[in-house]
């Protein structure tokens, strides 16, 4: 199957592109390099031996997308291209709503115009569960009001896809709700290296471990969790990438719309992951306790039994693997700068 991967040079996108190629899929990438670098394409080629067709286009641009569809005739889409910074979205709601909605709409219009393309995989997020009433979270748990415009785009696009699936019985749509993706490719060639001060915990720890930043700010130690710090479900990006291949295989059986949590099923606190990182790398990570960060929930982890039962999805890697792979990637990146 030929698959269009939007945002295919980004963190999760690039790992998924490699998994797809290694599983025999023909991949086309559309990415406007907003939050990614062109040399990721060389790195994908280095890892897989294949250089996917690449289109430097904004997925909102229907004309450019139309040309791509006419030429490539993809049968499936994995849609990663989106703005994704929770905090930033609060200050830039218009940009977030426009970008995340318009890219999705443009792709859905292409599916209308090119009926050969019936399969759509959407990058959703555990953020749609809002402040959870309980953990672990199941797919049947309610979507809650989002705490940020970013989260709201995920909630609303999920609903839009459900409405579209009701009237387009020939479509197969997978909504994948990611928990906290971390780690990097085993080669050290792909990973997450945000510009400036990272928002997310693991990229921040990577910068502390490699001497770029002095210490980790732990946001809150008074949550109702065993050690008082926030608990999350950290999933290795390679496992997450494999989840996309399994979801595509599921779509090939014509299931209609399906929704899966992709996590590990295990919660890890901020202090636990700092300790795990130290054990995995042998590097001391200094930290200071700071006040809670606005909008954070105490605890959030997945019940992954649906993905396990229906997709055969289980994680190959643990938090130690992810810490070590993330560190190795960051160390290599810093040397290249
Ligand atoms: N944290 C710190 N210090 C930091 C950064 C984070 O203590 O410098 C803590 C947070 O308070 C939280 C945990 O580490 O307890 C994880 O925070 P991240 O920012 O890494 O991730 P979040 O769980 O806040 O958000 C992630 C994704 C979102 C997605 C959400 C879904 O970044 O896109 O998971 O649950 F919406």
């Amino acid at each position: 199957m030929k698959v269009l991967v939007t945002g295919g040079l980004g963190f999760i996108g690039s790992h998924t592109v490699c998994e797809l190629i290694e599983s025999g899929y023909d991949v086309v990438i559309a990415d406007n390099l907003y939050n990614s670098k062109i040399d990721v394409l060389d790195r994908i080629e280095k890892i897989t031996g294949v250089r996917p067709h690449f289109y430097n286009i904004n997925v909102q641009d229907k004309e450019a997308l139309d040309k791509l569809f006419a030429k490539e005739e993809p049968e499936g889409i994995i849609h990663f291209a989106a703005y994704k910074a929770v905090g930033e979205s609060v200050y830039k709601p218009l940009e977030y709503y426009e970008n995340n909605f318009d890219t999705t709409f443009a792709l859905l219009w292409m599916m209308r115009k090119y009926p050969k393309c019936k399969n759509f995989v959407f990058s959703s997020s555990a953020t749609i569960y809002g402040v959870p009433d309980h953990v672990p979270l199941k797919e049947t748990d309610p979507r809650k009001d989002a705490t940020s415009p970013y989260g709201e785009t995920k909630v609303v696009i999920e609903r839009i896809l459900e409405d579209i699936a009701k009237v387009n019985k020939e479509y197969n749509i997978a909504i994948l709700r990611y928990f906290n993706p971390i780690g990097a490719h085993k080669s050290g060639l792909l990973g997450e290296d945000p510009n400036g001060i990272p928002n997310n915990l693991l990229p921040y720890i990577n910068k502390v471990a490699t001497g770029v930043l002095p210490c980790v700010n732990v946001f809150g130690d008074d949550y109702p969790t065993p050690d008082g710090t926030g608990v999350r479900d950290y999933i290795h990006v390679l496992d997450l990438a494999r989840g996309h291949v399994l979801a595509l295989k599921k779509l090939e059986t014509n299931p209609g719309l399906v929704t899966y949590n992709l996590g590990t099923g295990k919660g890890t606190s901020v202090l636990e992951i700092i300790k795990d990182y130290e054990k995995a790398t042998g590097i001391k990570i200094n930290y200071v306790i700071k006040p809670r960060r606005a909008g954070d929930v105490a605890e959030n982890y997945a019940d992954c039994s649906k993905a396990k039962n229906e997709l055969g999805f289980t994680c190959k890697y643990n938090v130690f693997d992810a810490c070590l792979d993330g560190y190795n990637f960051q160390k290599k990146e810093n040397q290249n700068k």
Side-chain angles (χ1 to χ4, degrees):
M1 189 201 280
K2 190 183 262 195
V3 185
L4 168 63
V5 182
T6 74
L9 298 185
F11 174 47
I12 307 173
S14 59
H15 288 83
T16 302
V17 165
C18 291
E19 287 288 324
L20 287 167
I21 293 171
E22 281 159 6
S23 306
Y25 288 91
D26 196 358
V27 175
V28 180
I29 296 174
D31 194 310
N32 67 351
L33 305 177
Y34 172 79
N35 193 23
S36 58
K37 296 189 184 106
I38 189 62
D39 45 296
V40 171
L41 194 60
D42 300 331
R43 296 174 185 209
I44 289 170
E45 185 176 9
K46 212 166 176 184
I47 291 167
T48 63
V50 173
R51 192 174 184 86
H53 288 179
F54 169 66
Y55 292 77
N56 183 347
I57 60 170
N58 186 329
V59 178
Q60 291 180 52
D61 181 347
K62 278 196 203 153
E63 238 171 75
L65 211 50
D66 200 348
K67 281 188 192 137
L68 182 158
F69 268 75
K71 189 149 184 255
E72 301 285 352
E73 301 187 332
E75 292 157 83
I77 299 167
I78 304 185
H79 181 32
F80 291 107
Y83 291 164
K84 62 168 189 176
V86 179
E88 182 186 61
S89 76
V90 176
Y91 300 101
K92 295 184 173 176
L94 181 58
E95 285 84 345
Y96 270 69
Y97 287 123
E98 179 183 58
N99 183 63
N100 291 5
F101 288 141
D102 283 1
T103 50
T104 308
F105 291 148
L107 292 166
L108 292 167
W109 279 114
M110 289 305 125
M111 286 176 70
R112 166 90 57 97
K113 181 163 181 193
Y114 296 88
K116 196 176 163 186
C117 188
K118 291 187 173 54
N119 303 298
F120 189 88
V121 179
F122 177 62
S123 295
S124 191
S125 163
T127 195
I128 63 97
Y129 294 114
V131 181
D133 301 324
H134 62 95
V135 278
L137 290 153
K138 275 181 183 293
E139 291 83 349
T140 46
D141 286 326
R143 274 188 294 251
K144 297 270 190 66
D145 281 347
T147 52
S148 70
Y150 157 78
E152 190 65 17
T153 67
K154 299 295 177 190
V155 168
V156 175
I157 293 169
E158 284 201 3
R159 285 203 198 105
I160 291 170
L161 292 173
E162 286 166 3
D163 287 341
I164 284 179
K166 276 182 208 150
V167 290
N168 294 275
K169 301 284 183 208
E170 72 285 12
Y171 282 5
N172 298 300
I173 298 177
I175 292 173
L176 302 181
R177 295 174 178 163
Y178 311 152
F179 281 68
N180 289 55
I182 61 167
H185 198 268
K186 295 280 167 196
S187 62
L189 291 170
L190 303 175
E192 192 180 20
D193 182 21
N195 290 330
I197 310 272
N199 290 309
N200 295 117
L201 181 61
L202 266 291
Y204 202 107
I205 298 179
N206 285 337
K207 301 261 181 194
V208 173
T210 54
V212 179
L213 291 169
C215 72
V216 178
N217 299 311
V218 175
F219 296 139
D221 67 348
D222 56 353
Y223 284 108
T225 59
D227 65 16
T229 65
V231 168
R232 296 289 183 277
D233 187 338
Y234 295 98
I235 176 171
H236 197 299
V237 65
L238 285 173
D239 283 322
L240 189 61
R242 205 162 29 80
H244 289 75
V245 175
L246 294 172
L248 260 190
K249 289 199 187 307
K250 176 75 180 178
L251 294 190
E252 286 166 40
T253 67
N254 295 318
L257 184 137
V258 286
T259 301
Y260 297 104
N261 284 341
L262 291 180
T264 65
K266 186 178 175 294
T268 305
S269 76
V270 177
L271 292 183
E272 278 171 339
I273 207 160
I274 289 176
K275 292 286 160 248
D276 290 346
Y277 197 101
E278 288 179 335
K279 267 190 222 152
T281 62
I283 294 168
K284 172 106 188 75
I285 304 295
N286 293 321
Y287 66 86
V288 285
I289 306 293
K290 294 277 179 170
R292 291 181 182 191
R293 183 172 67 176
D296 274 351
V297 299
E299 205 171 15
N300 180 341
Y301 59 93
D303 180 324
C304 301
S305 47
K306 189 176 175 209
K308 185 177 176 198
N309 296 337
E310 295 187 14
L311 304 179
F313 176 75
T314 51
C315 290
K316 281 192 195 162
Y317 304 106
N318 59 27
V319 163
F320 291 98
D321 301 313
C323 290
L324 190 57
D325 295 337
Y327 169 69
N328 285 335
F329 166 75
Q330 186 68 65
K331 202 169 55 172
K332 240 176 155 170
E333 279 304 285
N334 292 355
Q335 285 160 3
N336 289 339
K337 278 178 186 165

